[in-house]
Amino acid sequence: MAYKYVFGPVMSGRLGRSLGLDLLGDRICSMDCVYCEVGATRDRTCERRVYVPAADILKELALWKEEGLEPPDMITLGGLGEPCLNLDMETIILGSRRLFPDTPVAVLTNASLMTDPQVRRELCAADVVLPSLDSLVGDEFAAVNRPDRTITPQAVAEGLLEFKKEFKGQIFLEILLAEGINDSDENLGLLQDFCKRLAPDRVDVVTLTRPGTVKGVRPVDGAVLSRWRLALGGGETRNRERSGTGGKEMSLERMTAAVTASLNRRPQTAEQLAQALGADPERVRQAVEALEKMGDVTRRDDRGQTFYHGTGHVIED
Ligand code: SF4
C-alpha cells in the first residue's frame, strides 16, 4: 500500500525509530530554511487551515497498524512543512494515541506559531515537542530561516517561554548551525541566556548532515559544535542501533513504497534508510537502485556520501 501522509519509519537521532505523519501534504511552511531537508518552501504562510483533514491521516495510520510491522518508538508530526499550521493538529495527536496507546507522540515545529495561545493549547496534547530556534540575532534569523515577514526571533522566544509554563511533557530544543550564517558569538551569548530561562529537557546543537535547500550552505566544523554544545549544555545526538524488523518481513512492494515516501521527505543514504526501515541493507539498496533507474529517485554526492532523494525534493542553485 502506498501511503500519502504516513512515512518511514525513519531513524531519528533524538526520537529513535520514528513513524512520520505529514500534516501538510505539500511544502507549506512559515519559514524557508536554507538547510531544509524537504526542499524549498512552495507556500510560505502563517495561515492556519485544514491542509490535510485528520480523518485522512488517521485512516492511513490505521492501515499502517493493520500491516502488523514492528511498532515505532515514536509517532512524529511533521512532514513537508510546519505541522502547527494544520488546524486539525490536536485531533491528529489524540487519534494517533488512540491507535497506538503505548507510543508517545512528538511534534517537530519551528515554534513560530507558539505566539498563538490556541496553538500552545493544542501542542499540550503531545508527549514531546521539538522546537527549533537557530538564532536570536535578527539578521541571522532572517538569513538562516527566511521566515514569513511577520515572524521575529524575539516573539518566537517569548512564545516558547509561555509554552514551557503550560506544557507537562518534554521539550527538546534544537539549534542548527550553518557556517558563517548563525554561528556568531553574539548568537551563542543570546541563546545561552535564553536556554537558562527556558530550561528545556535537552538542547541539541546540530549542523547540516544532509544536503539542504540552498547549495553552498556549509556545516560548521566539529570544534565549533563542541564549543556550542559545551556552552549550551547540549549532548551528542546519536542514532539508536536497531536491527531486524521484529515484526513481519516487508514485501518488496511495501518496501519500495516506504523508500519512495521517505526519500520524498528527506535525502538519505541507503544505509540510513535500511536502519530506519529495520530492513536488510542489500534489499533496500536494490529497491533504491530500481527506483533510480525508473527516474523516481536521484542521487547526489555530498561530503563523500551518496544521498538519494525523491523527485519531489527541490534544491535551489
Ligand atoms: S526546516 Fe522546518 S521550518 Fe524550516 S523550511 Fe523546512 S519544514 Fe519549514
Side-chain angles (χ1 to χ4, degrees):
M1 149 107 203
Y3 294 97
K4 205 166 162 197
Y5 307 116
V6 175
F7 61 96
V10 294
M11 185 54 72
S12 156
R14 294 179 291 172
L15 303 175
R17 206 164 150 270
S18 155
L19 185 66
L21 302 184
D22 175 12
L23 271 63
L24 284 309
D26 199 350
R27 292 188 299 277
I28 300 166
C29 192
S30 51
M31 297 182 175
D32 184 17
C33 304
V34 293
Y35 56 76
C36 185
E37 290 177 355
V38 299
T41 299
R42 190 187 61 73
D43 182 4
R44 189 171 53 188
T45 180
C46 285
E47 186 190 351
R48 298 195 79 206
R49 283 202 279 140
V50 180
Y51 290 96
V52 183
D56 292 4
I57 293 175
L58 294 174
K59 191 172 151 199
E60 279 198 6
L61 192 58
L63 287 171
W64 192 91
K65 184 181 174 182
E66 277 173 22
E67 288 199 50
L69 300 169
E70 183 184 7
D73 296 330
M74 189 78 73
I75 293 174
T76 306
L77 278 58
L80 293 174
E82 171 51 47
C84 296
L85 287 171
N86 192 326
L87 275 171
D88 272 358
M89 177 172 69
E90 188 178 15
T91 310
I92 295 162
I93 295 172
L94 298 176
S96 302
R97 188 167 295 120
R98 264 195 302 277
L99 284 166
F100 290 89
D102 300 326
T103 306
V105 179
V107 181
L108 290 168
T109 175
N110 63 26
S112 61
L113 275 81
M114 283 198 191
T115 49
D116 179 347
Q118 175 60 25
V119 171
R120 297 200 301 267
R121 265 194 296 279
E122 292 172 24
L123 278 171
C124 282
D127 299 288
V128 185
V129 171
L130 299 99
S132 54
L133 183 58
D134 300 325
S135 183
L136 283 168
V137 179
D139 292 352
E140 294 184 9
F141 182 78
V144 73
N145 299 121
R146 303 190 296 183
D148 179 89
R149 59 182 174 75
T150 57
I151 302 170
T152 66
Q154 284 69 31
V156 175
E158 289 306 317
L160 262 167
L161 291 168
E162 283 305 307
F163 180 64
K164 168 75 182 191
K165 291 182 206 158
E166 300 158 1
F167 183 50
K168 302 277 180 281
Q170 292 182 297
I171 297 178
F172 298 170
L173 179 70
E174 180 177 285
I175 299 161
L176 186 141
L177 298 177
E179 188 186 61
I181 301 182
N182 64 330
D183 54 350
S184 68
D185 286 346
E186 182 186 3
N187 189 26
L188 178 56
L190 290 170
L191 282 171
Q192 239 177 335
D193 291 344
F194 174 71
C195 286
K196 276 187 202 133
R197 291 176 69 199
L198 183 69
D201 295 278
R202 59 185 280 182
V203 181
D204 291 298
V205 184
V206 299
T207 191
L208 290 85
T209 55
R210 297 182 173 87
T213 304
V214 177
K215 278 185 188 163
V217 174
R218 308 266 324 149
V220 296
D221 64 31
V224 174
L225 264 189
S226 301
R227 190 164 68 88
W228 276 64
R229 284 175 175 160
L230 203 64
L232 296 171
E236 290 277 343
T237 302
R238 290 195 181 90
N239 290 344
R240 279 191 236 163
E241 297 294 330
R242 296 289 290 254
S243 61
T245 64
K248 279 199 282 184
E249 181 73 16
M250 242 186 245
S251 68
L252 189 60
E253 185 194 18
R254 166 82 180 83
M255 187 188 298
T256 306
V259 164
T260 309
S262 194
L263 291 179
N264 274 335
R265 284 164 177 84
R266 78 197 305 198
Q268 289 161 85
T269 64
E271 292 71 28
Q272 286 167 337
L273 271 168
Q275 195 184 16
L277 297 172
D280 173 46
E282 197 41 47
R283 288 189 76 216
V284 171
R285 190 177 298 283
Q286 284 167 5
V288 171
E289 286 173 1
L291 284 164
E292 193 184 9
K293 277 198 191 115
M294 289 188 291
D296 292 338
V297 155
T298 52
R299 70 167 70 197
R300 179 172 165 200
D301 291 324
D302 193 85
R303 295 187 284 277
Q305 285 187 291
T306 299
F307 287 87
Y308 296 91
H309 55 86
T311 46
H313 186 86
V314 178
I315 294 171
E316 290 177 13
D317 283 317

